[in-house]
C-alpha cells in the first residue's frame, strides 16, 4: 500500500482468507484453536477494558464468548491465527461485560485516534458484519428465516423452495470539497439540519441506483445547494461501516459562486477562505471528524496554498 493514503477503518492487517470461509471443518477447528482471537461486541459497540482497550480474547475466554454469542463471524487470519467477532447483543449488558471480561461497551468511533489503524479496521469490520446479520434474519424474497454460512459472510434462506443467498450490502456515498471559481480561494461548507449553529461540514450524499459516482456528485450538489461543478478529481475512499457505508471523496470546482440551499437537508451554506478556516481551527472548531475523510479533504485544501494548516 506504499504511497496510498489510508483513512480510519482502512488498512487492516488481516488476511480475509476467502478460501477458509467455505471450509466448514476448518472453521470449526479454528474456533477451538488456542491461538484464535475473538473481538466481542454488544449492540454495535465494542467491549473494552478499564483502559479503554477493546478486548481480544483467546483460549478459555474465547470459548466462553463463543458459547453464548448470538452470532459469530470469521474476520480472517492474523499471522496464521484466526480472528472472529462475536455478537453478545442477546445478553443483558452486565452479562455481556462479565463474559468478555470487559468494563464497558463503547462506540469504536469514540476510540478513533487511540487505536492503531489495524485495530480500528478490525473492530469496524466486525461491527459492520454483525450489524448486517441482525438485520438479515429473514429472507426479503419469501419471508422465511435465514441462516449464516461461509463464516458469516453469507446468509441463506432456509425455505427449500427459495434458498436465496443474501450477501452484505455496501452503501456508497460521495463526499465533496467544492472550490469556488477564481480568486480568492474559497471552499463551500454547509450546516445540516439538526447541526448546532455555526457547525459546517463538506457536502455528501448517497449514490442512487443507476448512478455513477460522478453522477451522484452532480445531482447532490444541484439538489442541496444549487451548484453546478466541473473538474471532478477523485481523492480517495474510506470504509464507513456505520452500518455499511463506503465514503468516496472528490474535489470539484463550481461554475459560479451562487448558492441556493434546499432548506430541508441543509439549512445554510457559505464559502470560506483559507484564512477563515484557519481562524475556526484556532478558535477550537475542528475540521471535520477526526476519523473521517472530510478532515483530509479540508486539510489538503488548506495545504494547497503551500502553508501548513
Amino acid at each position: 500500500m506504499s504511497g496510498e493514503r489510508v483513512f480510519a477503518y482502512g488498512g487492516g492487517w488481516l488476511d480475509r482468507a476467502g478460501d477458509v470461509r467455505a471450509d466448514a471443518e476448518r472453521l470449526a477447528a479454528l474456533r477451538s484453536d488456542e491461538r484464535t482471537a475473538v473481538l466481542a461486541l454488544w449492540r454495535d459497540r465494542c467491549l473494552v477494558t478499564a483502559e479503554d482497550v477493546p478486548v481480544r480474547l483467546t483460549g478459555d475466554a474465547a470459548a466462553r464468548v463463543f458459547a453464548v454469542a448470538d452470532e459469530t463471524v470469521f474476520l480472517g487470519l492474523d499471522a496464521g491465527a484466526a480472528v472472529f467477532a462475536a455478537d453478545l447483543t442477546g445478553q443483558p449488558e452486565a452479562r455481556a461485560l462479565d463474559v468478555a471480561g470487559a468494563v464497558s461497551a463503547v462506540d469504536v468511533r469514540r476510540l478513533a485516534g487511540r487505536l492503531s489503524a489495524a485495530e480500528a479496521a478490525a473492530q469496524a469490520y466486525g461491527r459492520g458484519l454483525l450489524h448486517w446479520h441482525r438485520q438479515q434474519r429473514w429472507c426479503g424474497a419469501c419471508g422465511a428465516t435465514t441462516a449464516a454460512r461461509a463464516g458469516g459472510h453469507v446468509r441463506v434462506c432456509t425455505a427449500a423452495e427459495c434458498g436465496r443467498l443474501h450477501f452484505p450490502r455496501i452503501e456508497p456515498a460521495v463526499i465533496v470539497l467544492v472550490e469556488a471559481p477564481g480568486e480568492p480561494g474559497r471552499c463551500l461548507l454547509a450546516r445540516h439540519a439538526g447541526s448546532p449553529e455555526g457547525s459546517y461540514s463538506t457536502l455528501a450524499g448517497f449514490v442512487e441506483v443507476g448512478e455513477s459516482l460522478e453522477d451522484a456528485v452532480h445531482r447532490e450538489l444541484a439538489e442541496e445547494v444549487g451548484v453546478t461543478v466541473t473538474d471532478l478529481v477523485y481523492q480517495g475512499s474510506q470504509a464507513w461501516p456505520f452500518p455499511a457505508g463506503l465514503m468516496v471523496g472528490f474535489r470539484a470546482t463550481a461554475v459560479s459562486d451562487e448558492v441556493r440551499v434546499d432548506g430541508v437537508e441543509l439549512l445554510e451554506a457559505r464559502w470560506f477562505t483559507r484564512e477563515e478556516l484557519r481562524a475556526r481551527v484556532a478558535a477550537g472548531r475542528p475540521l471535520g471528524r477526526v476519523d473521517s475523510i472530510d478532515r483530509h479533504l479540508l486539510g489538503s485544501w488548506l495545504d494547497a496554498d503551500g502553508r501548513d494548516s
Side-chain angles (χ1 to χ4, degrees), residues 93-105:
E93 183 175 9
R95 171 63 174 157
L97 294 174
D98 181 60
V99 169
V103 301
S104 62

Side-chain angles (χ1 to χ4, degrees), residues 96-120:
L97 294 174
D98 181 60
V99 169
V103 301
S104 62
V106 303
D107 190 328
V108 66
R109 288 170 287 190
R110 202 195 86 181
L111 305 177
R114 286 187 281 160
L115 297 181
S116 70
E119 290 171 324

Side-chain angles (χ1 to χ4, degrees), residues 197-237:
E197 189 74 28
S199 176
Y200 296 92
S201 62
T202 49
L203 295 149
F206 285 105
V207 180
E208 295 187 351
V209 173
E211 279 188 326
S212 68
L213 298 173
E214 293 82 1
D215 290 341
V217 170
H218 288 293
R219 176 186 52 77
E220 283 288 341
L221 295 177
E223 289 177 351
E224 294 190 352
V225 289
V227 169
T228 299
V229 294
T230 61
D231 302 325
L232 271 66
V233 179
Y234 172 73
Q235 299 293 298
S237 65

Side-chain angles (χ1 to χ4, degrees), residues 133-195:
H133 277 281
R134 292 203 307 277
Q135 304 304 310
Q136 193 64 68
R137 290 178 293 170
W138 292 275
C139 177
C142 73
T145 58
T146 61
R149 296 288 186 272
H153 292 261
V154 181
R155 290 190 73 88
V156 181
C157 176
T158 57
E161 66 277 11
C162 181
R164 186 184 181 96
L165 301 180
H166 299 272
F167 297 90
R169 300 297 187 215
I170 303 300
E171 300 168 355
V174 293
I175 182 166
V176 193
L177 190 289
V178 181
E179 297 181 85
E183 296 295 335
R186 292 167 294 159
C187 72
L188 183 62
L189 302 181
R191 182 164 70 90
H192 292 72
S195 297

Side-chain angles (χ1 to χ4, degrees), residues 285-304:
R285 291 185 176 273
L287 292 180
R289 291 181 55 98
V290 67
D291 59 341
S292 175
I293 191 174
D294 66 342
R295 174 166 288 204
H296 165 71
L297 294 175
L298 288 164
S300 62
W301 181 77
L302 280 178
D303 287 343

Side-chain angles (χ1 to χ4, degrees), residues 274-275 278 299 302-309:
R274 289 182 172 87
E275 289 70 25
R278 291 192 178 96
L302 280 178
D303 287 343
D305 67 350
R307 288 179 288 172
D308 293 332
S309 61

Side-chain angles (χ1 to χ4, degrees), residues 34-40 55-59 61-65 99-101:
E34 285 293 316
R35 299 180 303 156
T36 290
V38 179
L39 311 180
V55 296
R56 184 180 170 92
L57 308 171
T58 58
R64 287 194 296 272
V65 169
V99 169

